[in-house]
Every structure is written in structure tokens, then in C-alpha cells.
Amino acid sequence: MVTGRKNSTLNSKQKFFQETKLSLSALSDIVYRSLRGSDELLSQTAAVSNGGIMTPKPGHKENNNDAKKVKLDRNLNNPSRVVHVRNIPNEAMETDIINLGIPFGRITNVLLLKGKNQAFLEMADETAASKMVNYYNNSGVPVIRGRTVYVQFSNHKELKTDSTHPGSISTQAALQAAQALTNKIETQGGPNTVLRVIVDNQVYPITLDVLYQIFSRVGKVLKIITFTKNNTFQALIQYPDVITAQAAKLSLDGQNIYNSCCTLRIDYSKLTNLNVKYNNDKSRDFTNPTLPTGDQGLDSLGIGGAMGMMGSPFTGLPSLGSPLTAAYSAAGGFPLGAFALSHATSATLGLGGVRLPSQQSFGGCVLLVSNLNEEMVTPDALFTLFGVYGDVVRVKILFNKKDNALVQMSEPHQAQLALTNLDKIKVYGKEIRVNLSKHQVVQMPREGQQDAGLTKDFTNSQLHRFKKPGSKNYQNIFPPSATLHLSNIPASVTEEEIKDAFQNTGGKVIAFKFFQKDRKMALIQMGSVEESVNALIKMHNYQLTDSSHLRVSFSKSTI
């Protein structure tokens, strides 16, 4: 007999799983992935698939033999450790059935009969099965993919499934994933509810909203805080309990958000709770939608942080794949937590939703660069600096306002990358500002128009870093840093010659190191980020020998 205290603990645990509908699909995919290779997170489908080796579709001739493939030991005495689930939807998977039983104990087998809209779930013992059946018949309503299902004891004592059954591989993957989660429930220890997420090799912009789309697929996300540390985009993400946090780490750690880049590195944080003061593009408390944004203009309107729909960062960005929650991004925005706007409010605001401070449109390729040092800046200098983040097509320094310039990139996401990485950095002693321009293209001066060489077309430049689709240069894009990566160094050039050349840029060389396995590459550390930026502008494409020109980019490494 279960005591009142145990019942209380069980009910709270069961209630959590009912509310969050924790999905095991992503976790079981870890086991199954070894058979089918890794997938990128940003696929065109919103759901994780276990591939084609599944139970046959309804109507398939093999469905009629499902019952024959299972040897069932008849047991007319109730209760039984085998639970019978009826009225399941056609699209249900093994993980959906397992979700129903996870809060009640260890699951030892599962059988899905799609053609009959039924399933069997075998628990480790009759006690766990009894808890499950009693709960769903007296307290909770079992739901699978929006459909209410019915739970009862089976007449069968145990399931003996045939290992040659078409769905056996995916079934074993789901069961192993369930075992990993059940172990955490039983131990009630280990990692806490807050995950620390680092985005490595960030080629494309990653926002709080993108992380929410990804991590909310595993379970209910309570809070997110984003920040930059050591020139790397990072985030803290809080889940309701250790089980969901564990599932998120197991299923998402090491995955790429985009093809071959933006890799998630996930660890457990020492924090037990996140203190979120503002709901904006840097932090969000999904349990408290009334928090202010920190922007006096929006807060004075009484809008605060209670916005149910944020503008999708992927709207109007055809060169990037859709987020994994593609159904949301198709509408130009996506609901945040349980605070979705009503249809009337959404219509009033527009599909894109309310845009918070600092959120930018991804539509244009032209950037407006202001607060330039007009005594030193040139179109070539801007071409070199902005060319670290994309292929620059044209540069125009404004004739009547020479501390302003327009820079046209070849792709919208390249413009966003440059904006994200170069806004507020110091160039030639002045902190530049970078914003998206209202102009769609940079116009060349008309014939006879006074220009003084301030407008330059780089369309056919040989120095574009990203001309080739899928260029490896995309994997080596980093924010400005004091350390520079050098490549294409001839064997005849010495360390002293390189250091002297960089000293002549007006900065101080702190350290230098050749790569051990490839002397054609090296790292050089300048005295500051500003000195490094100036050195990159002057030294990229610097002629070392008659046939060799130096290649320079920012590095995430230190010496």
C-alpha cells in the first residue's frame, strides 16, 4: 500500500509530466542515430523521425499479422504489469506510448499496433502498472498527440516480442531512452535544472528565440538568459526538473543548428535558479510574461514583456533553412511558452509580431556604417574588414558626410553577421556603429558626378572569402579578438619578418606561434582588439614574397 507522502510525491511528478508532455522522440533518436547518421537541427520537418524502419502503415498486410508476431502469456487475473492503451492516433510512435508510463516506473517493453489503433506497455512490475492505470482512470487524462486515449490492464502477463518485427529497432531505441530517463527519476540526484549552452563555430546569428524553438521541443522551458563570454555566444536555460534537463542535454549536445556550423555544447550549470529581470531579446521568463522589457518606450505603453509572439529571426531569409519548428516560422513568428496572443491581437500587430529592442530585420544586404575616422578610412579598408563576415559587393563613403559609409554584402545573412560582430568596435581610434540601411543596393556614381574615389565596386574581386558554396571559411568566422589567424605563409619567411611587419601597423605584438603540424599557418597576438582590427585591415593580402600573399582572420584561440 502506498503511503500519503509517497502519493503526494507521485502525484506532483505525474502532474509535471502531464503538463509538460516530455517527448522522448529526440532522446530515442540518439540511440537510433547510430544506424542512420546525424541530422542537423535545422531541417525542414518540425518533428524528429526515426526513419523508415517503422511499424507498417495502416492497411499494410503485415498489420494483420501483428498479433501473431507477439507471443502473449494469458493471465486472466488483474492487475497485470502489461497495460493496454486504446484509441491511439495513427501517427503515434513508440515514444508517445512510453511517455504515458515514464512517471510511474521502469518500462521493459512496448508494442504498437498501428493498424488497430492500440498499444501494449509492459512495466517492470505490477505495482508500477497499477499506479499508472489508477492515475489515468481517477486523476489524469491520458492524451497522445491531441487525442484522448484509454488505459486499462491487459489480460496478458508479459510481452514477448519477436526481434525480427519491423519496428524492433526503433522500439529498442525508445526503450533505451526511457531507461535513461527512468534512472534519473529513481535516483533523484545528479544534474540540476539549469543548462549552460555554448554555440561553437557560429557562422549565422543565433538568438534567444532560436534557442527557445530548439530546447522547448524537449520539454517546457521556464527561463532563458543569453550573453557573450570570451567572444562566444552562450545561454543559460532552465527546465522544471532534472529529468527534462537531462533529456535536453542527451539529445542536443553536439548537434549543429545549421549545416556544419553553430554547434551546441551543453553542460550543467551550478546555478539552481535563474533570476530574470527583463523580458527582451537577451533574457526571458516564460513563467512571468508581465516583466518589463527594460526599454522605457515600450514599457511606458504598458506593453511590458507580455508579448506572446516574437518576430521570427528567419523571416525573409531565404538563404537559411527553416528552424526545426518550421510550422511556427512559416507564420513569421512563433508563440512563446503558454502566452500566445489572441488571433485578434496578432492580426492587429501583424504576423511578424512585436519586435523587441535590438531585433533587426533580415531583409537587406546594405549596411550603414557611422562614426568612422574620416581621415583614415577608405573603401578598401572597409572592404577588408567587412569581408571577414561575407563578400562585399560595393562600398560608398558618403561625399558630404565622410564619417558615414554604405557597405553592400552579397547576402542578407552576411550583412547580419557583419552587423552582429562589428557594431561598436573601435576602428582607427573611433567606435563605429553598424545598422541595416533602408537602401537595397549601393549605387555607383553617375557619369560626371563628383565622387573623389569614395565609391568602389568589388563585385569581381579575387579577395572574396566566400565565393565557393559551402566554403570552409564559414567554419572560421569569429568576433574581433586580439589574436589573429595567419595562413599562406611561405617556408622562406621567418617569425621575425612577420612580427616586424605587424609591428609596423602601429600595434604591439604580444606573442607569436607557428602551427606545429602546418608551418603555413600561425597565430599572432596584438596588444588589444583595436590593434588587431587595424592590423587585419593592413596585413590581409600583404605580399610576403613574389608569389605569396598573407591571409588574415580573427581567431578564437589564445597563445
Side-chain angles (χ1 to χ4, degrees):
M1 183 173 179
V2 182
T3 65
R5 182 177 178 182
K6 288 184 178 179
N7 266 329
S8 176
T9 302
L10 176 66
N11 288 338
S12 63
K13 198 179 297 179
Q14 293 162 352
K15 182 179 179 182
F16 161 71
F17 277 95
Q18 286 298 302
E19 290 175 347
T20 60
K21 296 184 177 66
L22 173 62
S23 172
L24 286 174
S25 296
L27 188 53
S28 64
D29 187 47
I30 299 170
V31 182
Y32 195 82
R33 191 179 298 130
S34 62
L35 300 174
R36 63 180 180 89
S38 178
D39 293 329
E40 305 304 332
L41 292 179
L42 284 181
S43 62
Q44 294 297 324
T45 57
V48 178
S49 171
N50 275 341
I53 185 164
M54 299 294 291
T55 304
K57 297 179 180 179
H60 193 284
K61 64 179 183 180
E62 288 192 29
N63 271 322
N64 299 325
N65 296 324
D66 278 337
K68 297 178 181 178
K69 290 180 180 294
V70 184
K71 301 174 183 177
L72 300 167
D73 291 338
R74 291 282 179 179
N75 179 25
L76 300 178
N77 298 321
N78 285 325
S80 164
R81 68 189 184 104
V82 179
V83 176
H84 183 205
V85 184
R86 297 182 291 111
N87 196 41
I88 64 173
N90 291 332
E91 65 272 19
M93 300 172 63
E94 285 88 348
T95 51
D96 296 311
I97 311 303
I98 289 174
N99 269 333
L100 296 178
I102 277 286
F104 305 97
R106 189 164 62 91
I107 296 166
T108 53
N109 208 347
V110 61
L111 173 68
L112 183 62
L113 305 178
K114 285 196 173 185
K116 299 179 182 297
N117 297 103
Q118 299 180 28
F120 293 91
L121 192 66
E122 182 185 273
M123 306 299 289
D125 52 52
E126 290 182 3
T127 302
S130 296
K131 292 176 183 178
M132 177 179 174
V133 172
N134 290 336
Y135 175 77
Y136 285 129
N137 281 279
N138 299 310
S139 304
V141 178
V143 176
I144 293 179
R145 304 199 177 209
R147 178 189 288 191
T148 300
V149 297
Y150 304 98
V151 175
Q152 64 189 45
F153 288 116
S154 170
N155 289 328
H156 308 297
K157 186 176 180 180
E158 64 179 323
L159 295 179
K160 294 182 179 179
T161 52
D162 188 346
S163 61
T164 62
H165 189 274
S168 62
I169 297 178
S170 57
T171 298
Q172 290 305 312
L175 287 171
Q176 289 181 42
Q179 184 61 45
L181 294 187
T182 304
N183 288 342
K184 300 311 296 183
I185 294 175
E186 292 174 349
T187 58
Q188 288 296 304
N192 60 32
T193 61
V194 181
L195 298 177
R196 181 172 68 99
V197 180
I198 298 174
V199 181
D200 273 347
N201 189 21
Q202 184 184 347
V203 174
Y204 302 112
I206 304 299
T207 66
L208 182 150
D209 298 319
V210 171
L211 292 178
Y212 177 81
Q213 290 184 72
I214 295 170
F215 282 82
S216 63
R217 290 197 58 211
V218 180
K220 184 178 182 180
V221 174
L222 299 185
K223 303 173 185 178
I224 300 179
I225 296 176
T226 64
F227 56 95
T228 299
K229 184 177 181 181
N230 298 327
N231 293 323
T232 304
F233 181 81
Q234 301 188 27
L236 295 171
I237 299 176
Q238 183 175 346
Y239 281 108
D241 77 350
V242 298
I243 310 302
T244 322
Q246 170 81 342
K249 184 180 185 303
L250 287 175
S251 59
L252 297 175
D253 185 32
Q255 294 297 298
N256 295 327
I257 299 177
Y258 296 102
N259 186 28
S260 301
C261 66
C262 300
T263 306
L264 295 173
R265 304 297 180 195
I266 305 174
D267 291 307
Y268 297 106
S269 170
K270 295 180 180 179
L271 299 174
T272 57
N273 183 56
L274 297 182
N275 183 21
V276 177
K277 296 181 179 180
Y278 302 109
N279 281 343
N280 54 31
D281 59 338
K282 301 296 183 185
S283 62
R284 199 81 49 79
D285 184 344
F286 298 100
T287 68
N288 187 4
T290 61
L291 285 178
T293 65
D295 181 275
Q296 294 182 355
L298 284 175
D299 293 336
S300 65
L301 295 175
I303 296 177
M307 311 172 185
M309 185 171 284
M310 311 294 295
S312 169
F314 299 91
T315 305
L317 189 54
S319 56
L320 290 184
S322 299
L324 59 116
T325 46
Y328 293 149
S329 62
F334 43 86
L336 298 180
F339 314 113
L341 295 178
S342 66
H343 291 297
T345 308
S346 297
T348 302
L349 297 175
L351 283 177
V354 177
R355 190 166 63 184
L356 289 179
S358 302
Q359 279 193 298
Q360 301 284 349
S361 166
F362 277 62
C365 295
V366 180
L367 298 168
L368 173 62
V369 187
S370 56
N371 201 38
L372 292 164
N373 185 332
E374 57 185 277
E375 300 297 327
M376 300 185 67
V377 73
T378 64
D380 287 288
L382 293 176
F383 167 79
T384 301
L385 178 58
F386 282 76
V388 173
Y389 302 101
D391 293 335
V392 177
V393 179
R394 287 177 181 172
V395 176
K396 176 190 284 290
I397 297 176
L398 304 189
F399 185 78
N400 294 321
K401 199 174 182 182
K402 293 183 175 62
D403 62 345
N404 283 254
L406 295 174
V407 178
Q408 181 180 340
M409 311 296 288
S410 64
E411 296 285 348
H413 70 269
Q414 294 178 355
Q416 183 64 33
L417 269 176
L419 185 157
T420 302
N421 288 286
L422 296 178
D423 185 35
K424 297 183 181 180
I425 70 160
K426 278 193 173 183
V427 181
Y428 298 138
K430 299 189 71 175
E431 186 179 275
I432 68 172
R433 295 307 310 269
V434 183
N435 291 284
L436 286 171
S437 170
K438 64 181 180 181
H439 298 283
Q440 298 301 307
V441 294
V442 172
Q443 300 286 351
M444 295 299 292
R446 296 188 298 271
E447 187 176 348
Q449 183 180 3
Q450 194 175 15
D451 180 69
L454 297 178
T455 304
K456 195 165 182 179
D457 187 287
F458 295 95
T459 303
N460 299 316
S461 173
Q462 297 300 309
L463 297 179
H464 285 159
R465 299 176 187 245
F466 310 100
K467 288 186 294 185
K468 296 179 180 179
S471 169
K472 288 185 178 180
N473 288 329
Y474 272 120
Q475 301 178 29
N476 296 294
I477 294 179
F478 304 105
S481 61
T483 305
L484 296 170
H485 179 273
L486 313 180
S487 60
N488 203 38
I489 304 172
S492 59
V493 175
T494 66
E495 175 180 333
E496 290 305 317
E497 289 175 314
I498 296 174
K499 289 168 67 175
D500 288 343
F502 276 83
Q503 292 275 25
N504 292 334
T505 64
K508 181 180 179 181
V509 175
I510 303 298
F512 179 92
K513 182 177 71 173
F514 278 113
F515 279 46
Q516 288 185 349
K517 295 182 179 180
D518 189 353
R519 197 188 175 282
K520 292 182 179 179
M521 295 189 292
L523 294 176
I524 188 167
Q525 185 176 338
M526 305 300 292
S528 66
V529 174
E530 182 181 358
E531 290 181 6
S532 176
V533 169
N534 295 340
L536 182 143
I537 291 173
K538 293 182 179 180
M539 296 302 296
H540 182 62
N541 202 44
Y542 179 82
Q543 187 169 355
L544 294 172
T545 64
D546 291 339
S547 59
S548 298
H549 291 76
L550 187 66
R551 298 288 179 259
V552 184
S553 58
F554 296 115
S555 174
K556 68 174 181 178
S557 304
T558 56
I559 304 176

